[in-house]
Amino acid sequence: MATVLDIRGLTKTYASGLTALKPVTLAIEEGEIFALLGPNGAGKTTLISIVCGIVTPSAGSVTVGGFDVSRDYRAARALIGLVPQELATDSYETVWATTTHSRGLFGRPPDRAYVERTLRSLSLWDKRDARIRTLSGGMKRRVMIAKALVHEPRVLFLDEPTAGVDVELRRDMWALVRELREDGVTIILTTHYIEEAEEMADRVGVISRGELILVEEKHTLMRKLGQKHLVLHLHAPLTELPAALSRWDLALDADGQLLEYRFDTRAEHNDIAALLRGLDELGITYADLHTEQSSLEDIFVDLVASREAHA
Amino acid sequence: MNGVARFNHHGVWAIYKFEMGRTLRTLLQSIATPVITTSLYFVVFGSAIGGRMANVDGVPYGAFIVPGLIMLAVLTESLSNASFAIYLPKFTGTIYELLSAPLSPFEIVLAYVGAATTKSLLLGLLILATARLFVPLEIAHPVWMLAFLLLTAVAFCLFGFVLGIWANGWEQLQFVPMLVITPLTFLGGSFYSINMLPPTWQTVALFNPVVYLVSGFRWSFFDKGDVAVGVSLAFVSGFLAVCLLMVWWIFRSGYRLKT
């Protein structure tokens, strides 16, 4: 597959002195769904905004479909659709007017049938004559998606598409993303939810403090992220781990009250049952038990810590 | 490829249509208000006071104030329309779409300033028609009259565009029209000939740019003005050039549009 988005050595330092992007290099293949994962303030929106022409880069280059976003901005931008994170709509316009307006802005000739198809695919057709201000928040977001799709982009950016979105819209959105992917549209979405990346993406990039610290096939990443902890609240504290339990990766907390077992949910077989039997045989009883999944925060901490250790 | 042309006429037309649509939606505010205000001026200055005034430079006072009043309305409306048009998307956040669209700065300015200028011209002509109801009028140089109107509207719409980009809040948006333009227009010879002023103030008045606009415009009506028509024309053209330069610089530097 061809590279549709090529980012090289892209940096951004705002006038305030804030460095939002350290040199970022990233190539996105045509037709893939790429999730950019990172906490707030990591630089996700800055990266997208530079590609779309809203923010000027400090250094580096970006091409979309082979067109440089600053030199051949016309050709590059015509290929891009953007759904920003913030709801921003022309309140007094109708849904129909605002979508046809967007199509025109991006240099496309009027095409009523195409606009209709776009509105129908987002369940907006019945609302086509409604003024945007009369719509609910979820419907407004659908309008913004319609505006981004109505000029037939080849690369679609979804910035935090499901932040504050209800279940139905989320489901519709994923259905739409799949449909677009079948048409060969490349989709780049940002999120801070692992589940979202897990559900949709082919590849995942993790960005933290302006640095792309990891880019990986989703399946590879999910294996790494699949760690869980089983925590047992013991009735009687232990002073040390019994030798009989050494085959499990166990840890005791300082009081000897909590016993923690790390395991991989994706491993062929995990032996929680065996561990619990083992405890039983040793006469170790517990009042409660629960499992914890590694959160994105943990993963960032781990990733950043391991990078610093290597440095 | 992908329908990329050298000139994005669909884009320019989309903005133009969008802006004109906004005018139609706010017809009362955009057109009716200035027309009513101007009519009030005619009632007060033209009929009530004008009846007791002598002719100015051989022109009845009621007719004399027509060009000045049109200029006053065109200046302020050009400024406020054009500044509002570009400030609003900045304020609501919808400007992201404009900035990410395949439009050149020239096309963006053409569309916004084109729409604002259309409104200003319509307004100017509408006020002229209204004035015609109050006072008999003959226009000595109709083509020059339209040329002055067009040049002034374009220049002040460009200036408004700059203002809208510069403004960081509603207050700043109101500031320039209220505190700079209104006094300059009132002191710019809209209601009097600057020859009626004491000599010192005549000299001061010559530093007021609006004097040249009103004088040139009045010349196109009555074949006489406070300053030579060539000077007026040069001034309007110069101001237009300065505004163009400011707009050019804004897009070059991304000033207050892009971070």
Side-chain angles (χ1 to χ4, degrees):
Chain A
M1 273 195 288
T3 298
V4 71
L5 172 63
D6 195 13
I7 299 172
R8 289 192 189 169
L10 194 66
T11 67
K12 176 63 186 180
T13 303
Y14 286 102
S16 62
L18 174 81
T19 299
L21 288 181
K22 292 168 188 165
V24 167
T25 297
L26 175 66
I28 307 282
E29 301 302 309
E30 196 167 355
E32 79 171 321
I33 301 182
F34 187 89
L36 198 55
L37 216 60
N40 292 327
K44 303 188 294 287
T45 301
T46 300
L47 184 65
I48 288 184
S49 300
I50 291 175
V51 177
C52 295
I54 297 167
V55 168
T56 36
S58 303
S61 72
V62 180
T63 64
V64 179
F67 300 106
D68 187 283
V69 294
S70 40
R71 258 198 327 276
D72 297 320
Y73 67 93
R74 253 186 224 282
R77 289 184 196 170
L79 297 173
I80 301 174
L82 165 66
V83 184
Q85 191 176 341
E86 303 283 333
L87 273 182
T89 49
D90 291 302
S91 311
Y92 293 92
E93 293 292 325
T94 63
V95 172
W96 177 266
T98 201
T99 33
T100 49
H101 173 72
S102 296
R103 188 177 164 87
L105 268 189
F106 280 78
R108 291 285 187 164
D111 184 342
R112 300 183 68 88
Y114 194 86
V115 176
E116 178 176 340
R117 248 201 334 272
T118 307
L119 291 182
R120 282 191 190 280
S121 74
L122 284 156
S123 313
L124 282 169
W125 182 244
D126 295 338
K127 297 280 185 188
R128 64 190 178 278
D129 294 323
R131 297 214 184 278
I132 297 172
R133 74 193 160 108
T134 65
L135 301 178
S136 67
M139 290 307 255
K140 281 181 186 153
R141 194 164 286 277
R142 284 171 198 258
V143 171
M144 293 189 66
I145 300 169
K147 283 165 75 72
L149 288 176
V150 78
H151 68 273
E152 304 165 51
R154 300 306 298 156
V155 180
L156 179 68
F157 287 94
L158 298 166
D159 197 359
E160 304 273 349
T162 52
V165 154
D166 62 20
V167 181
E168 193 189 357
L169 176 51
R170 191 180 292 220
R171 209 177 46 224
D172 283 6
M173 191 128 61
W174 294 148
L176 184 76
V177 165
R178 286 195 191 94
E179 224 172 275
L180 289 168
R181 177 238 219 24
E182 269 163 36
D183 293 341
V185 176
T186 308
I187 295 159
I188 295 134
L189 59 96
T190 73
T191 178
H192 46 246
Y193 302 116
I194 282 189
E195 301 75 34
E196 213 158 84
E198 191 173 1
E199 173 144 8
M200 297 310 307
D202 300 313
R203 276 200 307 157
V204 176
V206 177
I207 190 168
S208 170
R209 293 182 193 164
E211 265 183 288
L212 200 55
I213 54 183
L214 166 136
V215 176
E216 219 133 19
E217 293 290 325
K218 178 181 71 182
H219 298 295
T220 318
L221 183 66
M222 286 306 156
R223 253 198 313 280
K224 287 186 189 171
L225 304 189
Q227 279 234 326
K228 269 198 164 185
H229 308 246
L230 170 70
V231 181
L232 296 154
H233 299 254
L234 304 179
H235 270 134
L238 289 176
T239 46
E240 57 174 356
L241 285 169
L245 300 176
S246 61
R247 54 178 277 232
W248 290 280
D249 180 13
L250 296 175
L252 263 181
D253 78 331
D255 302 332
Q257 196 85 48
L258 296 179
L259 184 66
E260 193 188 8
Y261 169 46
R262 289 165 175 274
F263 63 99
D264 190 338
T265 49
R266 281 151 224 268
E268 288 289 303
H269 48 81
N270 59 62
D271 38 9
I272 296 176
L275 170 65
L276 296 183
R277 272 198 306 275
L279 289 171
D280 204 30
E281 280 161 17
L282 291 170
I284 301 170
T285 56
Y286 42 89
D288 191 12
L289 78 173
H290 69 271
T291 60
E292 289 169 354
Q293 180 129 31
S294 309
S295 71
L296 192 52
E297 289 306 322
D298 299 339
I299 292 147
F300 285 130
V301 172
D302 285 354
L303 280 170
V304 173
S306 69
R307 279 170 62 86
E308 276 164 7
H310 286 299
Chain B
M1 68 161 292
N2 203 34
V4 177
R6 243 183 251 147
F7 181 80
N8 182 355
H9 65 277
H10 289 299
V12 172
W13 179 237
I15 298 174
Y16 187 85
K17 225 170 52 177
F18 179 89
E19 283 300 306
M20 295 312 284
R22 203 166 53 81
T23 310
L24 287 180
R25 261 203 318 275
T26 54
L27 197 63
L28 200 69
Q29 188 190 326
S30 306
I31 299 284
T33 310
V35 169
I36 292 170
T37 312
T38 313
S39 303
L40 288 173
Y41 279 125
F42 279 120
V43 172
V44 174
F45 290 100
S47 307
I49 297 175
R52 295 155 191 258
M53 300 272 287
N55 289 357
V56 183
D57 295 339
V59 179
Y61 187 71
F64 176 83
I65 62 170
V66 171
L69 282 179
I70 294 174
M71 270 293 163
L72 189 110
V74 168
L75 287 188
T76 44
E77 288 305 308
S78 292
L79 261 185
S80 72
N81 271 330
S83 60
F84 188 75
I86 192 70
Y87 178 76
L88 193 65
K90 261 181 37 173
F91 178 74
T92 59
T94 54
I95 196 152
Y96 81 86
E97 197 180 24
L98 185 69
L99 294 176
S100 65
L103 284 160
S104 70
F106 172 72
E107 288 158 353
I108 293 175
V109 173
L110 181 71
Y112 274 103
V113 171
T117 303
T118 309
K119 283 181 228 178
S120 295
L121 285 181
L122 287 178
L123 178 74
L125 296 174
L126 205 61
I127 293 175
L128 182 61
T130 314
R132 192 67 188 72
L133 300 176
F134 290 91
V135 288
L137 264 176
E138 267 180 55
I139 299 163
H141 310 284
V143 176
W144 278 111
M145 190 276 284
L146 284 174
F148 262 109
L149 200 60
L150 180 68
L151 277 175
T152 309
V154 172
F156 278 81
C157 287
L158 278 169
F159 188 44
F161 189 85
V162 173
L163 183 67
I165 285 173
W166 167 78
N168 267 337
W170 294 102
E171 241 171 72
Q172 288 187 343
L173 196 65
Q174 305 289 347
F175 176 82
V176 172
M178 286 289 287
L179 287 179
V180 181
I181 299 299
T182 308
L184 284 183
T185 40
F186 270 87
L187 302 175
S190 296
F191 299 106
Y192 53 87
S193 162
I194 60 166
N195 297 326
M196 294 157 79
L197 295 171
T200 325
W201 286 104
Q202 281 191 32
T203 315
V204 172
L206 290 178
F207 288 97
N208 180 352
V210 178
V211 165
Y212 298 89
L213 299 175
V214 172
S215 167
F217 196 49
R218 187 175 286 140
W219 171 86
S220 71
F221 278 77
F222 309 121
D223 202 24
K224 18 178 120 77
D226 290 337
V227 293
V229 64
V231 177
S232 289
L233 199 60
F235 182 84
V236 185
S237 309
F239 184 65
L240 185 66
V242 170
C243 291
L244 281 173
L245 216 63
M246 282 196 282
V247 170
W248 174 79
W249 176 79
I250 280 173
F251 279 102
R252 224 187 99 96
S253 63
Y255 173 76
R256 292 206 177 166
L257 272 179
K258 296 187 185 189
T259 43

